[in-house]
Amino acid sequence: MSAPVIMWFRQDLRLSDHPALAAAAAAGPVIPLFVLDDETAGDWRWGGASRWWLHRSLESLGASVPLVLRRGRADTVLAEVLKATGAKALYFTRDYAPWSPALEQRVKAVCEQAGAECHRYGGFLLHEPEAIRNGSGAFFKVYTPFSKACFAKGEPRAAKGPVKPTWATHTLERPALESLALLPTRPNWATGFEPVWRPGEAGAQARLVRFLDDGLHRYADGRDRPDQENTSQLSPHLHWGEISPHQVWQATRQAMDSAAGRLDRDGEKFLKEVLWREFSYHLVHHVPSFPETPFRPEFADFPWAMNDGALKRWQQGQTGYPIVDAGMRELWTTGIMHNRVRMIAASFLIKHLLLPWQEGERWFWDTLVDADIGNNAASWQWVAGCGADAAPYFRIFNPMLQGEKFDPNGEYVKRWVPELKDVPAASIHKPWEMTLPPKAYPSPMIDHNKARERALAAFAAIKKDEA
Ligand code: FAD
């Protein structure tokens, strides 16, 4: 019997189109290992909603894979497992979080010490950060030329089928999933997640099929409508690697090909969104301070107005602006928020309340099932106007107009803000203008026009400092 190899699962919780697992399976009997490492990521250890998802995803993977589960610093755990099993090699998928390069170096050293080979594979992204460069060899700071460079690379490699490793026999203890204590205890705030999500590879594939059958054809025109289901909802599945971006890309291309041109506009738009994910990750890889520090240095001195009470009202969906509150309550109940509403709610926090974008980023980190170090950081900096290729700070979303445009009948608002269920569509995005506004719903915590002026003045202050 040949010596075993270790497959260290990370955000690649699937069996198909899995380069690291395929290589491990070809090298010998495989010990599948998952390590819950709350130390390496420090303040960015998984938030509550991510932990719920992770539990369910490991449960799903564990139904077909004899996972060995551990807690602790990944390099320390790997050293122990290498020693205990005499494994001849370690396989894993590359990760791009700011703390990952150092961790992966430590893991390499641990393998060397144990006399084991160390093999790292891609698979989380379509394009490695080193592979997409501008004419002068630097990374792209603007999305459009970045996406053009990705398209110019040609089609990503074809997605591969499921891997069927021979699982190694070993004497390692296999504690139950419950030992990781990932699920909420009391109160169980995740009851609203269960009916919405099916974590795991099968759930991811089902989502993709459903979207391509009934969603993609509405994507280009409908993706901004939170009252309708027009987007893929693949983000948590992509985040945990339950599906690879190659599988998503290839299946979309196949759907476009078989529609003989009818889906081209929708398909292109969708693939470009998938490339926003790549762009975000490349940024965070090249600028590891991205999750914490504004990319544009002038924003370091932005005159934020710290106010815990205001932050709480935003978090609890009690701002008095229906579209913002609907989004924040959708987030709390289901672990997700529609992209358009994320932009509106984020803009409200940063510009209406003048609260630092990092506060919103942290809240999303804890509450989103797709909380993602790349997409979350890049998107918050985008809305705040301080990121690479960001929306200009002075573009301040008007929550009433946004609501009227993207939730014209107020159906989204009524779904999440029951206090407004009897309000006619004409008033749903500004109920305070009604003769008798619903008593149970708060009036706006800040006047829109005043907030706008205050935000522009704050922005002018940093511009002046810069001049
Ligand atoms: P679709 O429209 O179906 O898009 C397909 C895939 O493309 C998504 O699953 C996602 O992986 C990627 N994608 C789509 N839009 C974006 C985008 N703007 N930026 C980067 N990738 C994108 N996305 C996350 O995955 N995790 C986060 O933590 C996250 N935080 C965000 C915070 C803010 C303030 C904002 C404005 C956006 C954030 N996004 C985040 C981006 C976006 O809102 C979600 O990716 C999207 O809503 C997921 O829904 P979907 O899968 O139906 O997307």
Side-chain angles (χ1 to χ4, degrees):
M1 180 89 177
S2 70
V5 301
I6 295 169
M7 172 64 218
W8 171 30
F9 280 97
R10 305 170 83 191
Q11 283 169 249
D12 51 358
L13 303 177
R14 65 178 182 279
L15 292 175
S16 56
D17 192 44
H18 197 315
L21 182 62
V30 178
I31 300 173
L33 173 73
F34 180 85
V35 186
L36 177 64
D37 180 351
D38 281 336
E39 289 175 46
T40 302
D43 286 349
W44 293 107
R45 61 186 166 275
W46 302 120
S50 297
R51 284 171 185 269
W52 175 87
W53 189 286
L54 178 58
H55 181 100
R56 292 276 179 256
S57 191
L58 290 172
E59 190 171 54
S60 164
L61 187 66
S64 45
V65 174
L67 279 174
V68 175
L69 302 173
R70 289 288 181 275
R71 278 191 99 123
R73 234 178 74 162
D75 47 328
T76 311
V77 171
L78 286 166
E80 287 162 9
V81 174
L82 281 165
K83 189 163 172 225
T85 58
K88 64 178 178 185
L90 173 74
Y91 291 80
F92 64 92
T93 302
R94 182 179 183 185
D95 180 74
Y96 306 86
W99 53 86
S100 280
L103 170 64
E104 292 176 5
Q105 276 306 320
R106 291 201 302 273
V107 166
K108 204 170 151 215
V110 154
C111 287
E112 269 161 22
Q113 256 170 14
E117 293 168 20
C118 184
H119 297 283
R120 186 181 77 166
Y121 284 81
F124 188 74
L125 295 178
L126 296 164
H127 305 284
E128 294 302 318
E130 297 78 17
I132 306 289
R133 297 283 184 172
N134 66 19
S136 42
F139 66 94
F140 283 98
K141 285 140 200 114
V142 181
Y143 169 77
T144 302
F146 171 86
S147 65
K148 283 190 179 146
C150 292
F151 280 112
K153 284 257 160 204
E155 288 298 284
R157 65 161 177 76
K160 309 252 168 59
V163 184
K164 296 197 180 86
T166 302
W167 303 115
T169 46
H170 57 77
T171 54
L172 294 170
E173 256 186 72
R174 289 191 50 214
L177 179 54
E178 285 65 31
S179 68
L180 298 184
L182 291 163
L183 292 179
T185 45
R186 264 170 296 178
N188 179 6
W189 39 259
T191 48
F193 292 16
E194 303 282 352
V196 181
W197 299 109
R198 187 178 157 208
E201 188 166 10
Q205 291 293 340
R207 267 286 170 193
L208 176 63
V209 168
R210 196 172 84 191
F211 171 65
L212 295 177
D213 284 353
D214 183 26
L216 183 60
H217 68 280
R218 298 191 295 272
Y219 191 77
D221 293 328
R223 60 181 289 274
D224 274 319
R225 292 284 300 263
D227 55 335
Q228 300 170 354
E229 201 181 302
N230 298 333
T231 68
S232 71
Q233 295 187 316
L234 281 169
S235 51
H237 299 287
L238 277 164
H239 169 79
W240 285 109
E242 297 167 354
I243 191 165
S244 75
H246 302 81
Q247 291 173 309
V248 174
W249 192 279
Q250 184 169 313
T252 307
R253 279 283 189 226
Q254 280 163 359
M256 289 162 74
D257 288 348
S258 50
R262 286 189 317 279
L263 283 177
D264 281 3
R265 195 167 75 89
D266 296 291
E268 293 286 338
K269 184 75 196 142
F270 179 67
L271 294 179
K272 282 186 180 158
E273 292 307 315
V274 174
L275 289 181
W276 269 102
R277 172 177 180 269
E278 303 273 313
F279 183 57
S280 303
Y281 264 99
H282 287 209
L283 286 176
V284 168
H285 170 78
H286 292 296
V287 187
S289 60
F290 220 92
E292 270 132 29
T293 312
F295 180 74
R296 289 167 198 257
E298 67 270 24
F299 277 83
D301 298 322
F302 196 89
W304 301 112
M306 293 306 295
N307 180 336
D308 286 349
L311 179 63
K312 270 234 140 38
R313 283 186 71 170
W314 177 81
Q315 290 171 338
Q316 292 173 346
Q318 296 288 344
T319 67
Y321 284 92
I323 191 86
V324 175
D325 293 341
M328 298 310 293
R329 297 184 196 188
E330 178 187 26
L331 172 63
W332 181 255
T333 308
T334 65
I336 203 78
M337 192 198 296
H338 187 278
N339 180 59
R340 169 59 49 179
V341 190
R342 289 187 205 202
M343 292 196 285
I344 302 168
S347 172
F348 188 84
L349 178 91
I350 298 163
K351 299 177 186 178
H352 284 70
L353 302 181
L354 275 195
L355 289 171
W357 57 270
Q358 293 95 330
E359 293 287 348
E361 184 195 22
R362 288 276 171 192
W363 182 249
F364 273 27
W365 184 256
D366 200 25
T367 52
L368 274 173
V369 287
D370 68 7
D372 186 280
I373 199 71
N375 287 350
N376 199 35
S379 300
W380 275 95
Q381 290 226 31
W382 185 89
V383 179
C386 58
D389 195 11
Y393 181 87
F394 55 79
R395 193 186 295 156
I396 296 172
F397 278 125
N398 175 325
M400 291 80 79
L401 293 183
Q402 288 285 315
E404 283 161 11
K405 186 161 176 200
F406 297 112
D407 181 29
N409 305 316
E411 282 168 24
Y412 175 74
V413 162
K414 290 187 183 191
R415 200 178 307 149
W416 297 109
V417 188
E419 303 96 292
L420 299 178
K421 69 179 186 334
D422 297 324
V423 171
S427 303
I428 191 79
H429 295 291
K430 38 186 179 205
W432 58 88
E433 288 185 357
M434 294 168 74
T435 329
L436 282 176
K439 282 205 189 73
Y441 187 67
S443 31
M445 62 188 285
I446 189 160
D447 173 74
H448 169 68
N449 290 325
K450 282 196 192 127
R452 191 169 182 282
E453 278 162 31
R454 186 174 69 146
L456 291 176
F459 181 59
I462 62 163
K463 284 288 185 218
K464 199 158 72 217
D465 289 351
E466 198 194 341

